Amino acid sequence: MPIIEVENLTKVFGRHPKQAIELLDQGKSKEEILQETGQTVGVNRASFSVEEGEIFVIMGLSGSGKSTLVRLLNRIIEPTQGNIYVNGENLSEMDKKALREVRRKKMSMVFQKFALFPNRTILENAEFGLEIQKVPKEERQEKATKALELVGLGSYLEQKPEQLSGGMQQRVGLARALANDPEVLLMDEAFSALDPLIRKDMQDELIDLQSTMQKTIIFITHDLNEALKMGDRIALMRDGSIVQIGTPEEILVNPANDYVEKFVEDVDRSKVLTAEHIMKRPETINIEKHGPRVALERMSKEGISSILVVDSKRILQGYVTADDASQAIKDDIKDLQEILRTDIPKAMKDTPMNEIFDIINGSPIPVAVVENDRLVGIIVRGAVIAALAGNSGVNE
Amino acid sequence: MMLDFIPEIPISDWTTDFTKWVTDKFAFLFDFIKDNFGSLMEFLTAQLMVIPPIIFILIIAVLAFFLSGKKFGLAAFSIVGLWLIYNQGLWEHLMNTLVLVLIASALSVIIGIPVGILMAKSKIAETIITPILDFMQTMPAFVYLIPAVAFFGIGMVPGVFASLIFASPPTVRFTNLGIRQVSKELVEASDAFGSTGAQKLFKVELPMAKATISAGINQTVMLALSMVVTASMIGAPGLGREVLSALQRAQVGPGFVAGIGIVILAIIIDRLTQSSSKKENM
Ligand SMILES: Nc1ncnc2c1ncn2[C@@H]1O[C@H](COP(=O)(O)OP(=O)(O)O)[C@@H](O)[C@H]1O
Ligand SMILES: [Mg+2]
């Protein structure tokens, strides 16, 4: 069962939301509804579900409704219509008390501008959620201290937020959320206000934290590179609607429409595409069955100057070149073993493209893609260049 | 004439009747307040008078020293100023004025902060109360003296009543303002962690609004002090009465001396309340 399930969730800002909903159902756009009624559609009939332990990224340009959507999830903003299920319980029907319990125990939020309490120390900030739950002072200090240590701020307990740098302040924000030990973290552009370098550190740390703590994270960003890096899945928003949900690969390789494609265009592909996306089915010969003659025949048929050699289990052995093969035929050598070369560049399925680029750059022969020593594909130089240039159809 | 279509509206009669009705209807309440409150204030004044002036002056000086961040300026000023008041034979009047101002201010704060909170929480309350506050502050203070006398007779109690009406608006306004100014993100954070309304108020909004509320209280105290001469017209004792009687007899000297006493008190109270609010601000 998904931990969060959202059905048809809609938020209209304004005095007559019902009117706007009717127009939405008639298929009018956000722009038209604003023109006609003065109501702003914040989120338009969003539906998705988030699995436990997943980093679910919600991405879109400024004003596309990300902040509204994430605030609907804990009802900091009241939905106009739609349902939110958390562990199967319908949040939209909860009374205030039950809702508070969910906010206290299950979901914690991290804010774009940190939203730390300036009059409280770092420790007191991290304690806040537990204090609200009336956890005894000693216990909550202990838990808050642990959370602060987890984010590397164990020695700043008595400082005030203003004494810390932006990156450190956001660590406090993260610790404040973690101290509650929630199942879900809601992070609204949590890293957007940070310098690029610090931002990268925080991204890496969050990924580490997530892999050890197995929190479910709903991560909002307007930055596609961040989305691709962080997300197990990404939901792309436009004008309040979700236009595509998919893994980073799906979004990159199969953009659902022009909007997504445009978004994806300027991403640095070398970081996201991996060997798997650009490899081809390799021509091979079997070392146990074939000799130099067959090798040469295959190579001249395919118009290639070298060929990969495997055994019957497709374990990669090496390669032979056309020159060596014809020499062997002249010398009447029958065994491929004698002309086998093993200095072959290799990559894994998930090796990122920028690394493959480096490997292939210094090598006259293609890169072999292996999985547990078994040959699964081959990457030729041209494919790398084409993919880096953003040529679609890379995945043949 | 067009303007004479409607005969004069008897607003003044209505007001008179209304005040009379209130006076009769709530006589038991007013009497109760007058008796108990009056004796409480007399008791307080008597207690203050028991403290030897030298001790009193020293206490204020020490307070001034610490509240102003261990600086000597305000402490020295307090010693010299208070001694001067003593020297001019105005000590008892000073105590009376002090009690009047402190009680009126305390009541303003006790009533004003909750009203300010109500305004901050409810748009409707804000819409209703704001014009009332405007009215309270722009109506000449003398006008309050009339119902004050009707309700409480003459003396200290009606003085406090009139001062309360005149001086409480800043506390109400600044409390409202302070809470509304708390950044939306902090309020959101407090909600997101599951605060109840009361937790949000006491753990986030009031602490964040503290500096603004303190500024409002400071203004309230100063306004209460500015009412002492007016309040003396209905029999409130103190420095104000000295000013008033000097005025009635056209005696420049005594009027000036009592006036200086009020100024000295004003400066000390102002600096003390200001520095304590600045300290909270840090
Ligand atoms: N409180 C509000 N009142 C009216 N309109 C709002 C409010 N909050 C957001 N909106 C509107 O809803 C839309 C989505 O905003 P938001 O969720 O903040 O977008 P994002 O976080 O993606 O930048 C925008 O058109 C914005 O103007
Ligand atoms: Mg936003």
Side-chain angles (χ1 to χ4, degrees):
Chain A
M1 188 176 66
I3 188 163
I4 291 179
E5 210 171 345
V6 165
E7 269 176 16
N8 204 25
L9 196 57
T10 304
K11 176 67 190 183
V12 176
F13 294 104
R15 293 189 176 208
H16 309 288
K18 288 274 169 319
Q19 193 186 1
I21 297 253
E22 271 169 32
L23 293 176
L24 278 180
D25 288 338
Q26 289 167 23
K28 298 256 167 123
S29 74
K30 170 173 170 161
E31 185 65 39
E32 286 166 337
I33 292 173
L34 184 64
Q35 292 286 339
E36 279 180 38
T37 69
Q39 317 283 304
T40 306
V41 178
V43 172
N44 177 9
R45 292 169 297 180
S47 297
F48 59 89
S49 57
V50 180
E51 298 298 326
E52 199 168 339
E54 183 176 32
I55 300 187
F56 187 82
V57 170
I58 299 171
M59 188 191 73
L61 297 174
S62 167
S64 59
K66 309 177 296 292
S67 293
T68 307
L69 179 54
V70 76
R71 281 165 178 73
L72 289 170
L73 297 183
N74 60 0
R75 275 180 57 194
I76 292 282
I77 293 179
E78 284 293 337
T80 309
Q81 75 171 25
N83 294 309
I84 308 140
Y85 298 93
V86 178
N87 289 331
E89 281 183 276
N90 195 343
L91 203 77
S92 11
E93 285 171 1
M94 281 183 186
D95 61 12
K96 281 193 172 171
K97 190 152 175 287
L99 180 61
R100 275 203 302 272
E101 277 315 296
V102 171
R103 290 176 181 172
R104 288 176 180 189
K105 304 269 165 65
K106 293 198 175 158
M107 296 185 177
S108 291
M109 203 156 174
V110 182
F111 296 84
Q112 177 168 10
K113 289 178 196 139
F114 323 139
L116 301 179
F117 302 112
N119 53 328
R120 292 169 160 251
T121 63
I122 300 308
L123 180 61
E124 286 165 352
N125 265 285
E127 271 176 62
F128 184 79
L130 297 164
E131 188 180 325
I132 291 298
Q133 296 173 40
K134 304 205 171 79
V135 173
K137 189 162 177 102
E138 239 163 61
E139 186 184 339
R140 71 179 193 238
Q141 284 190 338
E142 191 185 310
K143 286 184 175 169
T145 308
K146 276 216 187 94
L148 285 166
E149 279 165 359
L150 201 61
V151 298
L153 288 180
S155 51
Y156 293 86
L157 305 184
E158 297 308 321
Q159 310 260 32
K160 287 282 175 73
E162 60 179 11
Q163 294 170 279
L164 270 54
S165 69
M168 285 158 100
Q169 290 193 28
Q170 193 56 300
R171 283 163 201 265
V172 180
L174 189 57
R176 178 174 66 179
L178 289 173
N180 278 359
D181 196 24
E183 292 166 37
V184 181
L185 283 180
L186 304 175
M187 306 183 69
D188 185 9
E189 305 224 18
F191 302 154
S192 299
L194 305 177
D195 296 339
L197 282 179
I198 295 167
R199 185 170 177 175
K200 184 179 171 303
D201 286 349
M202 293 289 280
Q203 291 167 349
D204 293 339
E205 272 180 55
L206 186 67
I207 290 172
D208 281 356
L209 271 175
Q210 200 274 344
S211 62
T212 52
M213 302 179 78
Q214 289 299 315
K215 301 282 180 209
T216 306
I217 299 176
I218 301 201
F219 189 95
I220 311 287
T221 180
H222 64 255
D223 174 0
L224 183 60
N225 280 314
E226 187 169 65
L228 295 168
K229 176 171 175 183
M230 305 297 295
D232 292 319
R233 282 187 307 145
I234 299 171
L236 239 146
M237 286 188 83
R238 178 196 195 178
D239 294 342
S241 307
I242 293 184
V243 290
Q244 185 172 7
I245 300 182
T247 61
E249 283 78 3
E250 282 164 359
I251 298 239
L252 274 182
V253 179
N254 292 313
N257 56 30
D258 289 354
Y259 177 76
V260 181
E261 191 163 337
K262 210 153 168 242
F263 223 114
V264 167
E265 247 168 24
D266 53 48
V267 71
D268 183 354
R269 285 166 169 266
S270 66
K271 286 197 196 121
V272 226
L273 289 180
T274 62
E276 194 176 7
H277 294 118
I278 49 170
M279 67 191 189
K280 288 186 185 171
R281 206 175 54 78
E283 283 302 322
T284 57
I285 51 168
N286 187 332
I287 196 165
E288 289 161 29
K289 293 188 196 153
H290 305 132
R293 234 168 245 289
V294 180
L296 192 59
E297 202 180 305
R298 286 259 166 96
M299 280 186 271
S300 52
K301 196 173 137 217
E302 296 296 326
I304 50 182
S305 59
S306 63
I307 190 165
L308 296 175
V309 181
V310 295
D311 66 10
S312 297
K313 289 179 183 142
R314 285 193 77 78
I315 304 286
L316 180 64
Q317 305 295 314
Y319 69 101
V320 296
T321 64
D323 289 350
D324 287 353
S326 56
Q327 189 62 43
I329 294 166
K330 278 187 200 148
D331 299 347
D332 204 22
I333 297 172
K334 293 270 157 52
D335 195 349
L336 271 181
Q337 201 75 44
E338 304 211 356
I339 56 167
L340 187 69
R341 296 183 186 222
T342 52
D343 58 329
I344 182 160
K346 286 182 210 163
M348 307 288 189
K349 265 184 174 177
D350 60 358
T351 305
M353 269 225 324
N354 49 353
E355 285 177 30
I356 297 169
F357 190 70
D358 290 342
I359 298 170
I360 212 160
N361 228 2
S363 156
I365 52 167
V367 174
V369 182
V370 292
E371 190 173 54
N372 303 327
D373 293 336
R374 285 182 61 240
L375 180 70
V376 290
I378 184 171
I379 299 171
V380 298
R381 221 182 147 85
V384 181
I385 311 273
L388 283 176
N391 197 337
S392 55
V394 285
N395 202 0
E396 295 176 348
Chain B
M1 270 299 286
M2 287 279 284
L3 291 177
D4 291 328
F5 262 141
I6 298 170
E8 181 181 340
I9 304 169
I11 296 177
S12 103
D13 291 345
W14 290 343
T15 313
T16 310
D17 293 347
F18 176 73
T19 310
K20 193 164 175 332
W21 179 80
V22 173
T23 313
D24 293 345
K25 207 72 184 167
F26 295 95
F28 67 97
L29 184 65
F30 294 137
D31 287 346
F32 178 82
I33 293 175
K34 187 169 65 185
D35 295 345
N36 291 285
F37 215 65
S39 43
L40 174 72
M41 285 194 293
E42 271 164 32
F43 174 76
L44 266 179
T45 317
Q47 290 303 304
L48 284 178
M49 291 298 294
V50 169
I51 305 173
I54 177 77
I55 302 290
F56 187 91
I57 292 174
L58 284 179
I59 292 174
I60 298 293
V62 169
L63 208 63
F65 177 70
F66 284 107
L67 281 179
S68 61
K70 307 207 173 168
K71 292 207 190 83
F72 287 103
L74 184 58
F77 179 82
S78 303
I79 292 174
V80 175
L82 292 174
W83 169 79
L84 188 68
I85 293 175
Y86 174 78
N87 173 267
Q88 297 297 307
L90 295 173
W91 192 255
E92 185 180 350
H93 300 304
L94 173 69
M95 290 303 133
N96 272 314
T97 298
L98 196 59
V99 170
L100 179 70
V101 170
L102 290 184
I103 297 284
S105 307
L107 286 177
S108 296
V109 170
I110 292 169
I111 298 170
I113 290 183
V115 174
I117 292 171
L118 181 71
M119 280 175 80
K121 293 289 165 185
S122 150
K123 187 78 200 149
I124 297 174
E126 192 187 34
T127 316
I128 296 172
I129 296 172
T130 305
I132 297 179
L133 293 177
D134 294 338
F135 184 88
M136 283 162 73
Q137 278 188 301
T138 44
M139 177 68 79
F142 294 101
V143 178
Y144 300 132
L145 299 180
I146 308 164
V149 171
F151 297 157
F152 300 108
I154 59 167
M156 195 87 128
V157 177
V160 168
F161 175 82
S163 304
L164 176 63
I165 293 179
F166 185 67
S168 56
T171 297
V172 179
R173 282 189 208 280
F174 278 69
T175 303
N176 175 33
L177 180 73
I179 292 178
R180 285 185 184 268
Q181 272 177 346
V182 176
S183 88
K184 188 172 150 279
E185 287 222 319
L186 292 187
V187 174
E188 249 182 10
S190 145
D191 283 334
F193 282 97
S195 304
T196 61
Q199 284 176 323
K200 182 162 68 178
L201 182 65
F202 287 106
K203 290 183 189 296
V204 178
E205 290 172 324
L206 285 180
M208 295 307 299
K210 212 156 144 187
T212 310
I213 296 175
S214 297
I217 293 175
N218 175 268
Q219 283 198 17
T220 286
V221 177
M222 296 329 281
L223 284 181
L225 193 64
S226 76
M227 271 294 280
V228 297
V229 177
T230 315
S232 71
M233 296 172 76
I234 49 174
L239 295 169
R241 186 189 282 173
E242 296 307 295
V243 174
L244 187 68
S245 68
L247 173 71
Q248 282 159 348
R249 292 177 214 144
Q251 296 168 317
V252 179
F256 179 73
V257 172
I260 288 286
I262 294 178
V263 171
I264 291 170
L265 184 60
I267 291 174
I268 296 176
I269 293 185
D270 180 48
R271 295 297 133 82
L272 281 184
T273 50
Q274 250 179 35
S275 52
S276 61
S277 72
K278 265 191 207 123
K279 236 169 92 161
E280 282 158 5
N281 213 353
M282 287 195 309

